[in-house]
Amino acid sequence: MKNNVALQLFFLALNTANIIIDQSLHCNCVELNKEDCNVSSQWCIWNTTSSECQSYTFNCSNQTKETKCNIQSDLCKWNNGECVENYKVCSSFTIQSKCQNSSGCYWSKANICENFSNCSNYSVDNCPTQEWCSKYFGKCVDYVFVTCSQFKSMSTCSGFQSKSTYCVWDNNDKCTSFQQITDCSDLNNFNEEQCKQNDCVYENKVCRYPKCSDNTQTTCSAVRITGTSQYTLCLFTQDKCQDAKDVSTLTKDTCFLRTKRNYKWFNNQCVPCDNLIDSSFRFQFCFSVLLFLFIAV
Ligand SMILES: *[C@@H]1O[C@H](CO)[C@@H](O)[C@H](O)[C@H]1NC(C)=O
Ligand SMILES: *[C@@H]1O[C@H](CO)[C@@H](O)[C@H](O)[C@H]1NC(C)=O
Ligand SMILES: *[C@@H]1O[C@H](CO)[C@@H](O)[C@H](O)[C@H]1NC(C)=O
Ligand SMILES: *[C@@H]1O[C@H](CO)[C@@H](O)[C@H](O)[C@H]1NC(C)=O
Ligand SMILES: *[C@@H]1O[C@H](CO)[C@@H](O)[C@H](O)[C@H]1NC(C)=O
Ligand SMILES: *[C@@H]1O[C@H](CO)[C@@H](O)[C@H](O)[C@H]1NC(C)=O
Ligand SMILES: *[C@@H]1O[C@H](CO)[C@@H](O)[C@H](O)[C@H]1NC(C)=O
Ligand SMILES: *[C@@H]1O[C@H](CO)[C@@H](O)[C@H](O)[C@H]1NC(C)=O
């Protein structure tokens, strides 16, 4: 009897559980069919001899097409019809425009391309604002951190108090130092814009996580669980975008990509993959975008 109740509860939980997918993971190549293998060319390759999807280590010199080469633009570059490894040695760029195109390299006053050294080493036009330098009276200088609480009006409330906190005007009309949030409700005391900028939804003066039901038919796919690489899968059913409870409506064409490569089409069904591999997908927090915007001004 006890067992039976437990079993019922289990099925109840199973029925109502949302489907969580993780963008930082992907199905092991060996589980994939030809089509899904083909859309995973960063990690997988279709072996025409064995008709199997195989995993491989992306090797620049193996890429014969520019588009394939650029899939790993951090590692490889297209050069004279060949895909070659892109050793990022800043000093190898002798032209300013090439230097500026290469992330982490900056063109110094001495006209050399170098890893970031010191703000004072750069002209105001090439001031590396991403590296906590700011343009000040025609010079490139170290960024000066502020004390948020000293600002008494919304218009002056701006800047960074530390590398991880910046100033935001709150609903109590105070300038507060603001850190990366751990929960949308951390933003309840801030305005709507602050809530939205952090991928949360503002409703009835409360800041909450996004839900499938916030979406229309065209945007109904999956909602990020804020602050993670995980998503809740959404499906459009009964004229509404709702949390998906199963994947039975996904097809051969939609199963793999709609689940961000976490499910596969197998035996005419969409099923979770047996093994998920880390994609080392670097997802960008809203915070780092903000950071860039603020100092770049
Ligand atoms: C693989 O995808 C490319 C486009 O990305 C397409 O042109 C090609 O036909 C696909 N091949 C297979 C076998 O599906
Ligand atoms: C393709 O599969 C065959 C048979 O398993 C194997 O001998 C061959 O090495 C594979 N090709 C590549 C490029 O791995
Ligand atoms: C890529 O392939 C080339 C040529 O076979 C080889 O010399 C090189 O070691 C490979 N690189 C990696 C990272 O496997
Ligand atoms: C990459 O190229 C090397 C030779 O350049 C070859 O031995 C190797 O099998 C290739 N790997 C793939 C995955 O095509
Ligand atoms: C810099 O990058 C842009 C776009 O990524 C490209 O169009 C341009 O040709 C690049 N310039 C140089 C000098 O490599
Ligand atoms: C420049 O930065 C890169 C990446 O952080 C590093 O691998 C390289 O050693 C640095 N070069 C110098 C000269 O410091
Ligand atoms: C950068 O240069 C300034 C002025 O020359 C100097 O005061 C400062 O200590 C330097 N900072 C670093 C990190 O070297
Ligand atoms: C850049 O700044 C560092 C640290 O202040 C200094 O040692 C170096 O000589 C400077 N480099 C150039 C090219 O001015």
Side-chain angles (χ1 to χ4, degrees), residues 160-171:
F160 280 78
Q161 181 156 317
S162 72
K163 286 190 181 179
S164 59
T165 55
Y166 60 96
C167 304
V168 184
W169 194 247
D170 70 19
N171 287 346

Side-chain angles (χ1 to χ4, degrees), residues 18-82:
N18 289 339
I19 292 179
I20 308 296
I21 49 185
D22 194 326
Q23 179 154 33
S24 71
L25 304 173
H26 67 267
C27 289
N28 194 2
C29 298
V30 295
E31 300 182 42
L32 299 181
N33 63 31
K34 192 175 179 183
E35 289 75 23
D36 295 343
C37 190
N38 190 31
V39 290
S40 306
S41 55
Q42 296 99 313
W43 315 284
C44 310
I45 192 162
W46 186 254
N47 183 325
T48 46
T49 316
S50 61
S51 292
E52 272 178 333
C53 187
Q54 295 181 331
S55 63
Y56 76 112
T57 311
F58 196 96
N59 186 327
C60 302
S61 65
N62 285 85
Q63 309 309 315
T64 53
K65 294 206 177 94
E66 188 170 1
T67 48
K68 285 269 165 88
C69 185
N70 290 334
I71 288 173
Q72 297 279 6
S73 56
D74 276 0
L75 298 174
C76 316
K77 63 179 176 190
W78 190 250
N79 190 349
N80 290 328
E82 263 188 293

Side-chain angles (χ1 to χ4, degrees), residues 21 220-222 233-236 250 253-261:
I21 49 185
C220 187
S221 61
L233 185 70
C234 310
L235 283 180
F236 196 79
L250 296 185
D253 294 330
T254 58
C255 172
F256 186 60
L257 290 181
R258 278 290 309 278
T259 60
K260 300 192 186 290
R261 301 185 163 95

Side-chain angles (χ1 to χ4, degrees), residues 68 130 137 141 156 206 250:
K68 285 269 165 88
Q130 303 93 309
F137 288 106
V141 298
T156 53
V206 168
L250 296 185

